[in-house]
Amino acid sequence: MKLKLGIPKGSLENATVDLFRRAGFQITVSSRSYFPAIDDPEIECMLIRAQEMARYVEDGVLDAGLTGRDWVQENDAQVQTVADLIYAKQSFGKVRWVLAVPESSPVKSVKDLQGKIIATELVAATERYLKSHGVSAKVEFSWGATEVKPPELADAIVEVTETGSSLRANKLRIVETVMESNTQLIAPEFLEGCVEAAQAGRYQHAARRRDQRAGQGRVAAECGEEESRSGARRSSRIEEADHLPA
């Protein structure tokens, strides 16, 4: 029985494939297929948008997947975090969802947006953020190109950024940080013991990866009889690879 693994389609796709390469897995993505090939007969990959990943993992359609902590929270998904993997589209770091307004806007804090319109893709998380500050505002879902909406279509936006360059290019300034996010390897809650098993095998697999990088062969995890232990060993390899130099 193969482990069904969700690979994020879109901005995290290339960085994820590179992470698996450094962990000893070769993933080949075809532009015409949503089922990438991987050189491990026990894994079956599927490309899924990061925004939807947590829902499919929660429902058990996927055995594991990689997505952002932001989308786990946005979907209020009941999943377990197997590993925090600190990488993004452009860098090995976290991203921020920020509240931004036009440079000429009088808005100085979230309190100034009472009764205003905010455009974002992260609707539920933004509504919770506003509620926590006692602010009532209209939050509209944005399908994309969110930076161009203020001031004509919205008073402010909540948008994800790594460097802030896109916001500055569109003459927007950051007011506050709504949340920080990073990529996570997640699994269904019912797979108890995966996290503990992954941590227990962490150093053993780190040594094997060093052997592989020294030319002593591809890292191969020992196959356990239990599927959860097998999946946990794979997660350990991916977590360790996140800390190796490219």
Side-chain angles (χ1 to χ4, degrees), residues 116-158:
K116 303 296 186 180
I117 298 175
I118 303 172
T120 184
E121 190 178 357
L122 203 72
V123 173
T126 299
E127 290 176 338
R128 290 193 293 268
Y129 178 76
L130 293 173
K131 184 178 180 180
S132 71
H133 287 80
V135 175
S136 177
K138 183 179 181 181
V139 181
E140 294 184 342
F141 178 76
S142 175
W143 289 98
T146 308
E147 295 96 333
V148 306
K149 295 188 175 180
E152 284 80 7
L153 302 178
D155 299 292
I157 65 171
V158 171

Side-chain angles (χ1 to χ4, degrees), residues 96-100 119-121 145-147 157-161 167:
R96 294 187 297 155
W97 283 88
V98 298
L99 177 66
T120 184
E121 190 178 357
T146 308
E147 295 96 333
I157 65 171
V158 171
E159 182 66 339
V160 67
T161 182
L167 296 173

Side-chain angles (χ1 to χ4, degrees), residues 99-104 146-151 155-157 159 164-175:
L99 177 66
V101 297
E103 292 176 345
S104 59
T146 308
E147 295 96 333
V148 306
K149 295 188 175 180
D155 299 292
I157 65 171
E159 182 66 339
S165 59
S166 180
L167 296 173
R168 291 190 294 271
N170 286 280
K171 294 180 169 43
L172 298 172
R173 61 177 169 83
I174 296 174
V175 177

Side-chain angles (χ1 to χ4, degrees), residues 212-225:
Q212 187 245 348
R213 294 173 68 86
Q216 296 181 25
R218 179 182 179 277
V219 175
E222 297 176 3
C223 296
E225 294 182 0

